[in-house]
Amino acid sequence: MKEGETDAIQPGCEPGSVPRPVRCFRVDALEVRVYGDPGALAAGAAVEAASVLRQAVEARGWARVIFACAASQIRFLEALSGRGEVDWSRVEVFHMDEYLGLSAAHPASFRRFLRERLVEKVRPGRVQELRGDAPEPLKEVRRYEALLKEAPVDLCCLGIGENGHLAFNDPGVADFEDPDLVKLVALEESSRRQQVGEGWFPHVEAVPRYAYTLTIPALCSARRLLAVVPERRKAEAVARALTGPIHPACPASILRRHGGATLFLDLESAALVVSD
């Protein structure tokens, strides 16, 4: 066991849970659930996300949720959109980043990603989009930040980048005490290479150099954080987040300070932190 880790049974890990994790533990404040395969991971995260949204609607009449738009989220969004217990007409949807200058028609646009994989399937009551091709970027930053400030966020569903980023808060720009909720950032080369590797762009030169992103404080303002992180290519970032210092050099390490955060892994992404 590593420092800060316990094997106490966590919610969702007790016998009878469907789907059931193969391992559960806690690192500092962060709950970690490890599933046997990516499909089970996606289904488990979808069950939890649907529960949070349903409870928020029942308690306050409306739910607000932020989604990541990335290849690692496709199975999760498919599983979530297939669940029937969420009254999506009472849900307001945000996304956490978008490329500067990119139209919603571009195949790599995060607006297009979320429309095709969630919005067009469940028809949320409200959808708030970051307009990457807005004519005045700084006004767009202020507009989206004002929308986020209108009410508390119930749920944030995010991934972890190969360099440990959350949204586009790469190690070079991540700020755990950022005074802003939305900002424009320069993308690290590693982030741009990841987008090529996932097939969104033909080569690194085609990847925009700048993007809008919700900041670390904006993401962490959500009452519940669900980090959906499958695949072996994320194992190194997961290990740094769970075993290294809590520091902007690995932005995902901040999850260990959020009392409402759960990290969903499969055996591949957990390979460097969970032994057989």
Side-chain angles (χ1 to χ4, degrees):
M1 303 295 291
K2 300 175 179 66
E3 184 177 355
E5 177 183 320
T6 71
D7 260 330
I9 293 177
Q10 307 299 335
C13 297
E14 61 276 356
S17 297
V18 181
R20 186 181 178 186
V22 298
R23 176 83 184 274
C24 294
F25 56 94
R26 189 173 291 273
V27 179
D28 299 317
L30 175 64
E31 177 194 0
V32 183
R33 302 183 191 177
V34 182
Y35 290 81
D37 59 74
L41 183 162
V47 168
E48 187 70 20
S51 175
V52 173
L53 294 174
R54 178 181 55 77
Q55 291 176 32
V57 170
E58 290 177 352
R60 292 180 295 282
W62 204 266
R64 306 181 93 215
V65 55
I66 302 168
F67 286 108
C69 301
S72 63
Q73 307 300 298
I74 291 175
R75 284 191 175 189
F76 161 65
L77 291 175
E78 180 179 357
L80 179 59
S81 64
R83 299 197 63 82
E85 67 266 41
V86 179
D87 180 359
W88 287 97
S89 70
R90 307 298 298 172
V91 176
E92 184 174 17
V93 169
F94 294 81
H95 60 110
M96 60 184 60
D97 43 20
E98 182 60 287
Y99 297 105
L100 179 64
L102 216 62
S103 76
H106 192 285
S109 165
F110 296 139
R111 286 170 286 171
R112 177 172 176 173
F113 178 100
L114 198 59
R115 289 176 190 176
E116 293 178 349
R117 290 172 173 83
L118 184 77
V119 171
E120 293 173 359
K121 296 180 179 181
V122 302
R123 302 293 179 182
R126 298 174 191 160
V127 180
Q128 310 292 0
E129 295 184 332
L130 261 170
R131 301 181 299 219
D133 51 353
E136 298 184 71
L138 294 182
K139 283 188 176 180
E140 179 65 4
V141 165
R142 292 192 290 271
R143 182 190 72 85
Y144 211 67
E145 186 168 89
L147 290 170
L148 286 167
K149 288 180 176 179
E150 286 182 354
V153 175
D154 298 289
L155 175 64
C156 179
C157 301
L158 69 167
I160 295 176
E162 293 175 25
N163 66 357
H165 71 208
L166 299 179
F168 273 135
N169 295 282
D170 288 331
V173 300
D175 182 353
F176 292 171
E177 306 297 331
D178 205 307
D180 299 315
L181 297 182
V182 185
K183 64 182 180 182
L184 286 166
V185 295
L187 300 181
E188 288 191 354
E189 186 77 3
S190 57
S191 278
R192 297 171 71 222
R193 286 198 305 269
Q194 178 178 327
Q195 304 309 313
V196 175
E198 292 179 357
W200 303 114
F201 296 92
H203 47 76
V204 171
E205 290 72 22
V207 183
R209 294 181 178 273
Y210 298 91
Y212 297 91
T213 187
L214 271 62
T215 62
I216 298 292
L219 301 175
C220 290
S221 70
R223 181 174 62 87
R224 287 283 279 123
L225 280 177
L226 306 183
V228 179
V229 189
E231 305 177 31
R232 179 60 180 81
R233 64 193 176 94
K234 301 296 182 73
E236 288 79 6
V238 167
R240 292 196 304 274
L242 295 183
T243 65
I246 300 175
H247 190 275
C250 181
S253 63
I254 194 64
L255 297 174
R256 288 158 50 193
R257 288 184 180 167
H258 194 294
T262 302
L263 175 60
F264 293 81
L265 305 174
D266 60 16
L267 291 175
E268 292 294 316
S269 58
L272 300 182
V273 293
V274 173
S275 58
D276 293 336

